[in-house]
Amino acid sequence: MKTMMIEQLLMWAFNEELPKIDAGIGGPSAAPSTWNAVQEMISLGTIVDRQPNRHGVISGFVSDGEAHPDAYIVSACVARLAETEGFNVPPAWAPFPEWPDEHGLIAAAVARIRLEEMGRAGRLNGRHVVNLVRRCAILKSGPDWRVSDAPKIVKEGDKGKGAWFVTRTKKDRLGNTVTYLDNGFDKRTRRPKKGAFQKFRLATPIRGAVIARMEWQLWQSALEMLHGLLNGRLSSIDLLPFRPYYQPWVTQMNLVEDA
């Protein structure tokens, strides 16, 4: 029996075997495999008159024999991921340990985006993860978690120079105490008032970076689940042990620090 890592098994099934299903329907083509079909799509910018088969891959136009029975089992287990109600991202998730966050702006943005994604029931549901696993297998690569430099942080107000604020309280019409921000700069002394502070904001959006690292961790969770579903069930392939690698960016950060 062959031995494979779970990633290799998925690439084999979705690139070499599952495209054989329904192959030969639609006429001749120089692109009998899913990988060649992807290359066609990249070069043309679209797929012309070609739709994925029931396994989510593009069937070849040239018949190349029957798909291996193990590939059907792989596809069925991947499809089972759609039954998962949700993949969890913990509330204290901190995907950017390499970025300084003196003002807590990055942590706040990550928490907000996490809640938005969980509320949409899209990225964290099983159907999205099925498509993610298929896409990574076909492209022979996991989600790209690499990000650029830390986002720029600027002071709020006064055209980027930074306005000053003070916190005050007052009574509303119902007699309740409400808190509001007031101008914290004394124009007479040309100095900030006592207790004044400045506010900061992210000048660079980080949503794309958050989603990229979320996708990586979802993919790793899916691989772990698939390894459990497939291990010992295949007739011709033994799976090597798998341990999810949730934070490769931590390893990279440590290597940079040690350099």
Side-chain angles (χ1 to χ4, degrees):
M1 295 180 71
K2 295 181 181 178
T3 57
M4 289 186 182
M5 297 186 296
I6 183 66
E7 300 95 327
Q8 293 172 317
L9 174 67
L10 292 167
M11 288 187 287
W12 167 78
F14 283 93
N15 286 290
E16 298 182 27
E17 296 301 319
L18 295 173
K20 296 177 182 178
I21 299 170
D22 299 331
I25 301 174
S29 172
S33 72
T34 296
W35 177 242
N36 286 336
V38 170
Q39 290 179 315
E40 278 190 353
M41 180 184 68
I42 293 172
S43 62
L44 298 175
T46 185
I47 297 177
V48 181
D49 295 332
R50 305 180 75 179
Q51 295 296 323
N53 61 26
R54 61 187 180 277
H55 299 277
V57 298
I58 305 299
S59 298
F61 279 104
V62 176
S63 180
D64 194 24
E66 295 293 326
H68 194 287
D70 283 344
Y72 285 93
I73 298 175
V74 171
S75 180
C77 287
V78 170
R80 281 183 59 184
L81 296 176
E83 301 170 8
T84 305
E85 293 185 0
F87 287 78
N88 184 46
V89 177
W93 185 49
F96 304 108
E98 72 272 38
W99 287 352
D101 192 20
E102 179 183 356
H103 306 288
L105 298 175
I106 293 172
V110 168
R112 183 183 67 253
I113 295 168
R114 171 190 169 274
L115 287 176
E116 290 172 356
E117 292 301 320
M118 293 187 70
R120 288 176 180 173
R123 193 171 307 277
L124 299 183
N125 73 19
R127 291 189 303 276
H128 173 80
V129 175
V130 169
N131 292 329
L132 176 65
V133 169
R134 287 172 174 169
R135 183 175 75 244
C136 291
I138 292 170
L139 296 178
K140 301 182 179 180
S141 177
D144 187 1
W145 52 265
R146 295 169 298 177
V147 297
S148 57
D149 295 335
K152 184 179 180 181
I153 296 175
V154 297
K155 296 176 181 178
E156 284 194 3
D158 199 15
K159 299 180 180 179
K161 296 180 181 179
W164 290 89
F165 303 89
V166 289
T167 302
R168 301 194 186 280
T169 59
K170 66 178 181 180
K171 297 287 186 179
D172 63 14
R173 292 182 178 180
L174 299 177
N176 299 316
T177 300
V178 294
T179 302
Y180 68 99
L181 293 180
D182 197 6
N183 182 14
F185 189 77
D186 191 324
K187 293 183 179 180
R188 183 179 61 83
T189 63
R190 306 294 299 172
R191 298 182 63 181
K193 297 176 182 178
K194 184 179 180 180
F197 59 91
Q198 292 184 301
K199 297 174 66 177
F200 299 84
R201 63 177 176 85
L202 294 175
T204 309
I206 65 169
R207 184 178 187 83
V210 173
I211 296 301
R213 294 201 168 174
M214 185 180 291
E215 294 272 82
W216 174 270
Q217 294 198 330
L218 290 174
W219 182 58
Q220 289 293 300
S221 294
L223 292 180
E224 183 179 30
M225 189 175 298
L226 287 170
H227 188 277
L229 292 172
L230 290 164
N231 195 25
R233 289 190 57 191
L234 305 175
S235 63
S236 63
I237 298 169
D238 275 334
L239 281 177
L240 294 170
F242 175 77
R243 183 178 180 181
Y245 190 25
Y246 284 118
Q247 299 185 88
W249 44 87
V250 173
T251 302
Q252 183 188 58
M253 180 181 68
N254 292 336
L255 289 174
V256 171
E257 291 177 351
D258 293 340

